[in-house]
Amino acid sequence: MTARRRTRIVWGLRGTALAVFLAYLPGWHASRSGGLVVVEHWLNRPVLLIGAAVVLLVASLVVGLGFRTRFAQIGCAAVLAPLVVAGIAILGLSLLFSANGGREDRFVSPNRTDRVLTVTNVAFSIDPVYQVELETGSGWSARHWSMGTWDTSGGDFVRIDWSGPDEITVTGREKFTVFDVRSDGSLSEPRVLPKQGSAAAEPSS
């Protein structure tokens, strides 16, 4: 391989790595409360996109250095081995999450079909941990609004309901947490109301 061709390949790989990383940034921004649902769904893929960018950068280094001598090849292997192990570990964690978590339940508002509650199990353990969001709008303009992450082992989350046309209630063992939905689809600050005169309720199965 000539030096000129090697240089073209190196910069091609680096340019592709930069493009992949830049593609991830809108997805990361859309993952915040109020972000666009479609953009987050397609581009908020840190393991896939950042992992691909790192692989492309490492490949550009390998191509650029050449590693013609045996000593250089051994050094390259010593550098790449930890990266391979880290990649396998990340992939294993992703598969574990897919197996134990990631289930999403959706609850459409009884009054407006363009308002949907999503409850996603994001736990890596047996006890569920729920990420709760409100999706408003439809198509490319749909946005998601965070209602927090709820650990069921603490008893703060038993169930969630549409308790009114513009009201959502999270029921816990000892309290209610109420969110109001504004006209633009965003959420108010939560109101915490204690349960009156009743023993702690058990979670529904």
Side-chain angles (χ1 to χ4, degrees), residues 1 7 10 20 24 38 52 54 58 63 70 81-82 103 113 116 127 139 143-144 146 154 157 159 166 170 175 196 203:
M1 183 184 297
T7 300
V10 166
V20 170
Y24 164 69
V38 175
V54 170
V58 172
V63 173
R70 185 175 183 82
R103 176 183 173 183
T113 58
V116 182
D127 294 329
R143 294 182 180 275
H144 65 99
S146 175
F157 187 98
R159 58 181 294 170
D166 301 306
V170 178
K175 64 183 180 181
Q196 299 293 332

Side-chain angles (χ1 to χ4, degrees), residues 21 37 39 94 161 201:
F21 176 74
V37 174
V39 176
S94 300
D161 301 282

Side-chain angles (χ1 to χ4, degrees), residues 17 23 40 53 57 64 69 71 86 92 110 119 127 142 148 152 156 161 171 175 181 203:
E40 184 203 17
L57 284 175
T69 67
F71 179 79
V119 182
D127 294 329
T152 56
D156 289 339
D161 301 282
T171 302
K175 64 183 180 181
V181 184

